[in-house]
Amino acid sequence: MSQQRSTAAYSAAARLERLPISGYHRVIFIIIAGAFFFDSIDLGMMTFVLGSIKQEFGLSTAQAGLLASASFLGMAAGAALSGLLADRFGRKPVFQVSMIIWGVASYLCSTAASAQELIFYRVLLGLGMGMEFPIAQTILSEFTPTRQRGRYIALMDGFWPLGFITAGLIAYYLLSVADWRTVFVVLAIPAAFLLVVRRYVPESPRWLEHAGRHDEAERVLSDIEARVSRSLGVRTLPEPVEIHAAAPEKRGALGLLFSAQYRSRTIMVWGLWFFALLGFYGLTTWLGALLQQAGFAVTKSVMYTVLISLGGIPGFLCAAWLVEKWGRKPTCIAALLGGALAVYAYGQTAILAGSETPLIVSGLIMQFFLFGMWAVLYAYTPELYSTGARATGSGFASAVGRVGSLLGPYLVGVVLPNWGQGGVFTVGAGCFFVAALLVYVLGVETRGISLEELSARQPEPSARAVSVPRTR
């Protein structure tokens, strides 16, 4: 009790930052990453079932592109809405609601009697998924100490390629014995994971303190400290060291995004998300269908898409290591430029050649860089804003990205008949190059700096230098 009394005068940030990484942190990570994983399965599944749906409803390529884009419309709205709600009402309740929405919507997709009805349910599904992604990264960033923050969030994003691969395996086996409707029924089941989140994930103490709910923050912090102590088998924890934080914000979360403090960061991260997701989803949503058009059978195209996705596993692991060793900004630029070159090579040589070996090898390299890019995106974004605007900033960045996601598949459906597959991959490569340029010009480095110190920093005169601050 004496330790609790002595630490009560410190801020939530100071008390959380001084905690050693423990089994408690890893449990929170597994739960949040698990929810992220199930959501990613739903998101990735359209890559594998689009061809079957297109055939059943007799859709043109443009119509199929519109269907593929439908969930991203919902995701744009969900991401923007969830950020505002989470900064107003808390991270945990919004996170739980998002899981309910995507679980129900996934089941409804299986009942669609027409393409129009399926589009509506995909928008609803996207609303739930869009709400979940930015809240997951916000929660994890606020619970994890600075020295491991980037690595843990990047590893969380690694559950996205795992989800994508799982989606492909589910599609491969279910489509051989059932139809795409059965796939969506199965995908609704993991929404029950909500019960685990409700029981084991507390509200963010940083947010509770910011909201003026100090008694609740104290209870949550005391419980976290007790759990960390038990996990480590120690009776005392390191003494907190107070962290310099910015003065309390007087404007709303949305207004803060374009304040002098955050304006350049917002422009950078919105452009980054837009162009990165425009290129990524424009390509991956159509990947199975493009392989089918190149002459591969449905089940074979699914297996090739799953196989090359394995390149994403070392990709996100490498990014998770580099964001702490090298820094967020240079890792992000490297992943984007590498992705641009790999995408161009994949489209110009592998698919057009129709040969299996270069198709698989170049595809593995492409997914290595693209999933590494995702890992940096999720690690970098929540670090750019203060507690009062973190979920809003992450949510709106994701929402702008989902606009790119919405346009990407439809754009491919329009470009493909006119410029062919080579043109599609050239456009994708250009998107990643523009995103890299934005990070180079406007990006700031966040490695080794607490969230509170980052929010207190004044805007830099020039953000072009790729500098890496020394870890404290």
Side-chain angles (χ1 to χ4, degrees):
M1 296 295 293
S2 61
Q3 184 189 19
Q4 293 181 0
R5 285 196 298 270
S6 66
T7 59
Y10 289 92
S11 67
R15 293 170 67 174
L16 290 170
E17 287 292 337
R18 104 318 185 151
L19 295 177
I21 291 292
S22 66
Y24 175 77
H25 292 95
R26 287 185 279 273
V27 167
I28 294 295
F29 167 78
I30 290 171
I31 293 172
I32 298 298
F36 189 91
F37 169 74
F38 293 131
D39 225 356
S40 298
I41 295 175
D42 263 312
L43 182 59
M45 185 58 72
M46 186 55 71
T47 297
F48 305 102
V49 300
L50 181 61
S52 299
I53 295 173
K54 180 176 180 287
Q55 183 176 5
E56 178 174 329
F57 290 122
L59 305 177
S60 67
T61 55
Q63 289 171 327
L66 181 62
L67 172 61
S69 299
S71 61
F72 300 119
L73 176 62
M75 291 182 76
L81 180 65
S82 70
L84 292 169
L85 292 175
D87 280 332
R88 176 66 179 85
F89 299 106
R91 286 45 169 143
K92 184 176 178 178
V94 179
F95 193 67
Q96 294 176 94
V97 169
S98 74
M99 298 179 70
I100 294 172
I101 293 174
W102 65 252
V104 171
S106 182
Y107 172 76
L108 289 175
C109 285
S110 72
T111 69
S114 66
Q116 292 75 20
E117 192 175 335
L118 182 57
I119 287 173
F120 174 77
Y121 293 144
R122 290 292 297 177
V123 171
L124 185 62
L125 177 63
L127 181 71
M129 290 190 291
M131 292 177 67
E132 192 270 342
F133 286 136
I135 304 304
Q137 62 182 329
T138 298
I139 291 175
L140 200 57
S141 70
E142 293 182 344
F143 273 95
T144 310
T146 295
R147 57 192 174 276
Q148 295 287 342
R149 186 180 65 229
R151 178 170 294 124
Y152 269 72
I153 300 176
L155 287 173
M156 179 196 73
D157 184 67
F159 281 70
W160 157 226
L162 295 177
F164 188 84
I165 293 166
T166 302
L169 294 174
I170 291 172
Y172 178 76
Y173 287 107
L174 287 182
L175 290 178
S176 64
V177 297
D179 59 10
W180 59 268
R181 298 177 186 276
T182 305
V183 172
F184 282 114
V185 172
V186 171
L187 295 185
I189 297 173
F193 195 69
L194 160 73
L195 301 175
V196 177
V197 173
R198 183 175 181 83
R199 178 175 177 83
Y200 292 104
V201 178
E203 182 56 84
S204 165
R206 278 178 156 109
W207 179 83
L208 288 170
E209 184 178 80
H210 174 80
R213 293 159 60 173
H214 298 288
D215 290 342
E216 292 178 64
E218 176 59 35
R219 286 195 296 272
V220 173
L221 284 165
S222 297
D223 182 64
I224 291 173
E225 290 165 342
R227 290 175 183 270
V228 170
S229 295
R230 287 197 299 270
S231 176
L232 296 174
V234 299
R235 301 186 64 179
T236 60
L237 294 168
E239 286 295 316
V241 176
E242 197 55 81
I243 298 171
H244 174 65
E249 300 100 348
K250 296 181 180 179
R251 67 178 75 186
L254 188 57
L256 279 172
L257 303 189
F258 285 95
S259 65
Q261 177 71 19
Y262 299 116
R263 188 180 301 119
S264 65
R265 300 183 189 185
T266 297
I267 293 171
M268 181 275 295
V269 79
W270 283 20
L272 168 61
W273 275 80
F274 177 81
F275 285 104
L277 271 64
L278 177 68
F280 182 86
Y281 283 109
L283 298 176
T284 57
T285 303
W286 272 92
L287 200 52
L290 290 173
L291 287 170
Q292 291 175 39
Q293 181 173 309
F296 296 96
V298 173
T299 53
K300 204 167 189 179
S301 69
V302 169
M303 284 309 298
Y304 282 155
T305 306
V306 172
L307 182 60
I308 65 174
S309 298
L310 293 174
I313 297 176
F316 81 77
L317 290 174
C318 182
W321 179 73
L322 286 175
V323 291
E324 295 296 356
K325 294 295 183 180
W326 193 11
R328 278 52 154 172
K329 183 173 178 178
T331 304
C332 188
I333 293 171
L336 288 164
L337 291 179
L341 293 173
V343 161
Y344 182 81
Y346 184 80
Q348 297 297 324
T349 61
I351 285 189
L352 294 180
S355 177
E356 296 182 6
T357 300
L359 181 75
I360 293 171
V361 172
S362 61
L364 288 168
I365 296 172
M366 177 179 71
Q367 299 293 46
F368 174 89
F369 285 108
L370 295 188
F371 283 113
M373 170 200 77
W374 273 108
V376 186
L377 274 179
Y378 276 95
Y380 195 21
T381 303
E383 298 176 337
L384 299 173
Y385 299 101
S386 63
T387 299
R390 184 165 299 118
T392 298
S394 298
F396 269 85
S398 181
V400 172
R402 302 310 166 182
V403 174
S405 303
L406 174 67
L407 295 175
Y410 184 72
L411 179 63
V412 170
V414 174
V415 169
L416 183 60
N418 298 293
W419 294 348
Q421 295 200 16
V424 168
F425 284 91
T426 300
V427 170
C431 290
F432 297 126
F433 179 80
V434 172
L437 184 62
L438 282 167
V439 177
Y440 175 74
V441 174
L442 296 175
V444 296
E445 185 52 68
T446 59
R447 182 178 75 95
I449 309 171
S450 73
L451 297 174
E452 287 67 28
E453 289 175 302
L454 282 168
S455 65
R457 285 193 166 191
Q458 294 300 312
E460 298 178 8
S462 174
R464 280 180 288 180
V466 183
S467 59
V468 180
R470 299 177 66 173
T471 304
R472 286 170 170 76

